[in-house]
Amino acid sequence: MPVSTQTEHPALADVVAAFEEVYPPSWAASWDRVGLAVGDPADRVAKVLFAVDPVEAVIDEAVTWGADLIVTHHPLMLRGVHSVAVNTPKGRIAHRLIRAGIALYTAHTNADTAAPGVSDALARAVGVTGPLRPLEPDTADPEGRRGIGRIGGLDGPMTLRDFAAGVARGLPATAPGVRVAGDLDRIVTTVAVSGGAGDSLLGAVRAAGVDVFVTSDLRHHPASEFLEEPNAPALIDTPHFASEWPWLSDGAAALTDSLVRRLGPDGANVETRVSTTVTDAWSQAIPPA
């Protein structure tokens, strides 16, 4: 919905506070870097672009649209840097954002563990129905709702072939597509999912006794060893970007709802947009001759 020109837009500080009410930074992993990376908390925000990655193509989209804030899932500076000079990739993005007056905020593992969070959105996108429960629960959550990954069921049994086709249809199209390991005629009814890199969760998947695990960035050796186990669940490997993109619309809706709760209807005078720019690192897949 377009913003009103008759009502003052909220300050960046208010937008951040509203978003952090839904995705508290304290939920992030100790190694993570979430929160405001670029921006003046006193600046006003009229347009917010949600995207998976803080890369040049997303900055281009934000500048063209006239965004005041970009909310990304992945951090710009996850690992320590010693320079933000414009001749470095991260420095170039930081300089572009500052020159354009665009703030950058990141919700990463705090959005992964949230309930609902990244994996809830992935589960819905690939046809997994509720109730969903965490694959790896957050021990700090007494209600047992938060955690990494989700486990759920399907509306009815189907072959792995048909389920994998549904996964491909439910996620953004990317050059690598979807990879499948397992008997395509196998019947699946229970599914585990985890947005982003998920081979650290293979032990939890095996213990959960599901039929198939949908995640990203599965490495050869862990996947190969996993599949050698008797009655091992099937594996579906999706591009990292694709498995996390479904959450963006949830994040945008959560921000609007939180602004209304905190500031009233006039306080939510912010337009949101979900980027459809495909930022998966693998832009080409060359089929065999």
Side-chain angles (χ1 to χ4, degrees), residues 215-232:
T215 191
S216 303
D217 298 346
L218 288 174
R219 293 173 297 161
H220 173 77
H221 293 297
S224 205
E225 292 171 7
F226 177 83
L227 292 166
E228 288 296 313
E229 294 287 338
N231 303 313

Side-chain angles (χ1 to χ4, degrees), residues 1 6 15 20 23 41 54 67 74 86 99-101 138 198 208 222 240 244 251 289:
M1 179 183 297
Q6 306 302 314
V15 174
E20 291 183 347
Y23 306 105
H74 291 145
V86 77
R99 288 170 178 163
D138 183 344
H240 194 120
E244 295 175 328

